[in-house]
Amino acid sequence: MDPDTENVLDTVGSRLRALRRHRGITLADLAVRTGVSESTLSRLESGQRRATLELLLPLARTYDVPLDDLVGAPRTGDPRIHLKPIHRHGMTFVPLSRRPGGVHAFKMIIPARPEPLEPTPQTHDGFEWLYVLNGRLRLVVGERDLTLPPGEAAEFDTSLPHWLGSADGGAVELLILFGLQGVRAHLPPHT
């Protein structure tokens, strides 16, 4: 086996352990989700067992990451990111990052509607930072009801009830950085 392949395979275990811990999943939970025994997962993470496609595919599906990202394979060929939009709650989310764990970046598109929707606040673990590119965003966080024009940014703890929509029924485009609880996006202070 060539040294580059050997190096990639040698780091798989520690990468898998870090990803599992970052996501807050126990080995027992992961075993249930993947169908791979807890002892096999433990040996895989500790480097006592070599990663195989048969073991990595269910892990990639469970973590919802490309197999190349899971093993840390070097990127080759076409440097473009092939974006696959996700459609949820009548909105489109275009992933702009592909790293497992950490902060995830999305372009979010809220389509125009004849009449603005009524807020239906939701909660989930995490922290969100957003920047309005186009349109007027209505942001409801807790008791606050704000309208953000293009160029404005906001950040908030997603464990607070929150909702994003169009302020006037027009389309809205924004960038979103989403991280797990405690991960915040900060811009450097102006000098």
Side-chain angles (χ1 to χ4, degrees):
M1 189 176 304
D2 72 66
D4 288 338
T5 302
E6 193 73 33
N7 288 338
V8 167
L9 290 175
D10 286 345
T11 62
V12 170
S14 60
R15 182 175 282 103
L16 291 173
R17 176 179 286 125
L19 179 58
R20 179 180 56 78
R21 287 180 176 168
H22 187 77
R23 300 262 177 116
I25 301 171
T26 65
L27 278 173
D29 290 339
L30 189 58
V32 169
R33 293 181 191 185
T34 62
V36 177
S37 76
E38 192 173 338
S39 64
T40 298
L41 291 169
S42 177
R43 290 193 324 269
L44 186 61
E45 286 185 1
S46 68
Q48 295 173 358
R49 175 145 186 185
R50 192 59 81 148
T52 64
L53 194 56
E54 187 176 64
L55 294 172
L56 292 175
L57 284 174
L59 290 167
R61 277 193 294 271
T62 298
Y63 290 132
D64 193 27
V65 298
L67 192 57
D68 284 353
D69 288 354
L70 194 61
V71 298
R75 301 250 184 247
T76 58
D78 189 347
R80 294 175 294 175
I81 297 173
H82 300 283
L83 307 172
K84 294 179 184 172
I86 302 163
H87 303 282
R88 287 199 183 128
H89 312 292
M91 296 177 270
T92 302
F93 298 83
V94 181
L96 302 175
S97 61
R98 301 183 335 153
R99 282 187 31 233
V103 176
H104 295 275
F106 296 91
K107 179 177 181 183
M108 180 177 167
I109 303 163
I110 301 170
R113 299 190 183 276
E115 293 184 27
L117 294 173
E118 281 301 310
T120 53
Q122 304 290 318
T123 63
H124 53 86
D125 289 336
F127 206 87
E128 202 163 291
W129 177 92
L130 58 85
Y131 178 85
V132 181
L133 296 167
N134 292 303
R136 294 171 40 82
L137 176 71
R138 181 175 179 194
L139 172 63
V140 177
V141 179
E143 299 297 318
R144 297 186 149 221
D145 192 335
L146 307 166
T147 298
L148 283 71
E152 280 205 356
E155 67 177 347
F156 55 92
D157 184 334
T158 58
S159 68
L160 295 171
H162 62 282
W163 179 85
L164 290 83
S166 174
D168 55 15
V172 182
E173 294 181 31
L174 55 148
L175 294 178
I176 294 179
L177 297 179
F178 175 77
L180 297 176
Q181 193 61 32
V183 177
R184 297 178 72 158
H186 289 283
L187 298 175
H190 295 288
T191 54

